[in-house]
Amino acid sequence: MIPVNKPWLDIRERELLLEAMDSGWISGSGEFIQRFEDKWAKVCGRTYGIAVSNGTAALETAVWALDLPEGSEVIMPTFTIISCALALLRNNLIPVFVDADPRTWCMDVNQVAERITTRTSAIMVVHTYGHPVNLQPICELAEKHNIRIIEDASEAHGARFRGKICGGFGAVSCFSFYANKIVTTGEGGMVVCDNAEIAERCRAYRNLGFGRDNRFLHTRLGQNFRLTNLQAAIGCAQIDKLPRALDRKVRIAKTYNELLKEIPDLNLPVQEEWALNVYWVYGIVLGESYSFDALECQRRLRKYGVDTRRFFLGMHEQPVIRDKGFGIGERYPVAERLSRYGIYLPSGIGTTLEDIRRSAEAVRKCLAS
Ligand SMILES: *Cc1c(COP(=O)(O)O)cnc(C)c1O
């Protein structure tokens, strides 16, 4: 079976991991953590980096650090991972959904303006599957209404909007370094920002809300969201490989594009003229002329030895979100279509050219029958 994802780890990760082990610093402090934070903040053009245990924790921490008014509204895409909504719910904020853009699969920026009310405190942007959100209208809205931008660039390491790197746009910007992400630490995440006060709040939240002066005097809530020095060591090696990893991702996408472009009524990933897409995963969406859906397509591809993943199911369709009273009776037709007709193909950094050819050939056969 050709796997959907294969991480790219080699000798450099091993060397740094052993160095971290030998240093004796194996838990949530040690020099690799600082190094990892500094290196990644620099990649993103930011002043501060706060490493945490995963991307979901990064979002929760970042939102907490902004100290938004309790019960205020945050506009977010419905078509995303549950982590985005969890970060809001855990911070007693109201998620307000917008549909996806049918081309980029990111949030439909035209709908954001319509959803702004006097209760809106922030917009959460998510760069879906490696393609940046059209940030210009979002930044203008944020400025005009004095609301914050929370950026989730977990799927878009190294992607760019009009030349500026994703992770550089939010009051707080978040990353996951899960095993299938472009830069990985196995499990891991980070918040980056430019504000010293927000950075300090993130550090406190990550580490049980320890006091600044009297360590064991707690005035704020916290979590144990520490990343280990061992994971950070792997991360340092990974960051150095980012340019090569991005080259590979683009090459994988271009190869698929070439092999699949003749198939009628099949939507492939795009790259808008203002965007640098890093093609975190290579998604395809069946057009309306097909008589079967993504589930059936996935089943057929599995018969050819090709493993795939379904697209997200929108937040407004999630029982756990509806149970909280959000998204009920709302319809987001683009997101609903993407979740029913979209899958992504093997496109991890370790995926070989041969795997891609075989996968593309299997897609062609499955869609023709
Ligand atoms: C992977 C991902 C996360 C969650 O990251 P974890 O490290 O798995 O907690 C959050 N947001 C987006 C957009 C992701 O793709």
Side-chain angles (χ1 to χ4, degrees):
M1 186 78 91
I2 301 173
V4 164
N5 176 57
K6 257 189 211 171
W8 183 30
L9 301 171
D10 51 38
I11 189 76
R12 190 66 186 142
E13 281 81 0
R14 286 178 190 220
E15 282 172 1
L16 295 189
L17 180 58
L18 286 177
E19 202 182 305
M21 268 173 75
D22 292 344
S23 76
W25 295 90
I26 58 170
S27 60
S29 40
E31 66 166 56
F32 281 108
I33 293 169
Q34 180 84 51
R35 222 202 278 181
F36 182 48
E37 291 175 337
D38 290 348
K39 275 169 94 83
W40 191 248
K42 195 165 165 214
V43 167
C44 301
R46 306 303 294 254
T47 315
Y48 304 100
I50 302 92
V52 292
S53 45
N54 56 67
T56 308
L59 284 161
E60 182 183 323
T61 303
V63 173
W64 185 84
L66 285 184
D67 201 16
L68 302 171
E70 195 166 321
S72 64
E73 298 173 355
V74 179
I75 299 169
M76 62 169 284
T78 188
F79 185 71
T80 186
I81 192 168
I82 192 84
S83 310
C84 300
L86 290 178
L88 303 183
L89 299 182
R90 301 254 187 253
N91 282 289
N92 302 312
L93 297 163
I94 311 268
V96 173
F97 304 122
V98 296
D99 205 353
D101 177 292
R103 281 177 54 81
T104 65
W105 310 331
C106 292
M107 75 201 300
D108 180 345
V109 294
N110 296 317
Q111 292 189 6
V112 175
E114 298 161 17
R115 307 305 306 266
I116 290 178
T117 71
T118 52
R119 296 175 301 278
T120 308
S121 60
I123 303 169
M124 182 183 279
V125 299
V126 186
H127 308 297
T128 308
Y129 298 158
H131 194 291
V133 172
N134 183 1
L135 280 151
Q136 191 154 319
I138 302 282
C139 292
E140 285 167 11
L141 284 170
E143 176 105 7
K144 179 171 161 206
H145 296 278
N146 192 28
I147 52 188
R148 318 300 284 272
I149 294 175
I150 300 157
E151 187 182 15
D152 184 352
S154 295
E155 303 179 1
H157 302 175
R160 286 171 189 271
F161 173 76
R162 294 199 189 283
K164 181 172 166 180
I165 198 156
C166 293
F169 292 90
V172 283
S173 298
C174 300
F175 292 91
S176 163
F177 302 116
Y178 182 64
N180 67 357
K181 301 294 154 68
I182 297 178
V183 166
T184 184
T185 56
E187 298 281 355
M190 201 180 296
V191 183
V192 297
C193 65
D194 297 317
N195 178 294
E197 185 65 28
I198 291 174
E200 192 280 328
R201 283 177 60 83
C202 288
R203 282 184 211 290
Y205 194 71
R206 163 180 74 178
N207 195 19
L208 306 176
F210 276 134
R212 245 179 298 193
D213 304 321
N214 181 347
R215 185 172 169 81
F216 290 104
L217 184 69
H218 299 266
T219 56
R220 300 176 291 188
L221 289 176
Q223 300 270 19
N224 176 353
F225 282 164
R226 297 185 299 260
L227 186 80
T228 70
N229 200 42
L230 301 174
Q231 293 166 308
I234 294 173
C236 287
Q238 286 272 304
I239 293 174
D240 292 336
K241 286 170 24 179
L242 179 62
R244 282 178 291 153
L246 295 180
D247 281 349
R248 285 192 183 202
K249 282 291 193 190
V250 170
R251 201 169 336 127
I252 290 167
K254 295 231 158 108
T255 307
Y256 271 127
N257 281 344
E258 207 47 46
L259 295 169
L260 299 176
K261 70 179 184 207
E262 308 292 346
I263 300 180
D265 205 23
L266 183 68
N267 297 314
L268 307 178
V270 299
Q271 178 170 254
E272 300 291 14
E273 44 93 11
W274 38 261
L276 179 74
N277 189 348
V278 292
Y279 304 98
W280 169 57
V281 294
Y282 191 89
I284 58 174
V285 183
L286 304 178
E288 290 178 13
S289 61
Y290 291 94
S291 60
F292 51 90
D293 62 5
L295 192 64
E296 170 64 13
C297 186
Q298 184 172 48
R299 199 183 57 77
R300 293 184 185 192
L301 283 169
R302 201 173 291 129
K303 279 200 188 150
Y304 286 99
V306 177
D307 200 15
T308 59
R309 290 285 179 280
R310 299 283 303 278
F311 274 21
F312 298 123
L313 181 63
M315 292 303 108
H316 70 290
E317 299 199 76
Q318 301 289 351
V320 69
I321 301 293
R322 288 184 172 173
D323 286 350
K324 299 278 178 206
F326 304 119
I328 299 166
E330 296 174 13
R331 297 301 303 272
Y332 300 101
V334 178
E336 288 168 22
R337 186 147 215 301
L338 291 176
S339 21
R340 283 157 186 76
Y341 296 95
I343 55 170
Y344 58 90
L345 305 175
S347 43
I349 295 166
T351 308
T352 63
L353 214 56
E354 186 47 37
D355 288 345
I356 295 167
R357 287 208 191 90
R358 277 183 49 207
S359 302
E361 189 49 36
V363 170
R364 214 196 316 261
K365 285 182 187 150
C366 290
L367 297 190
S369 54

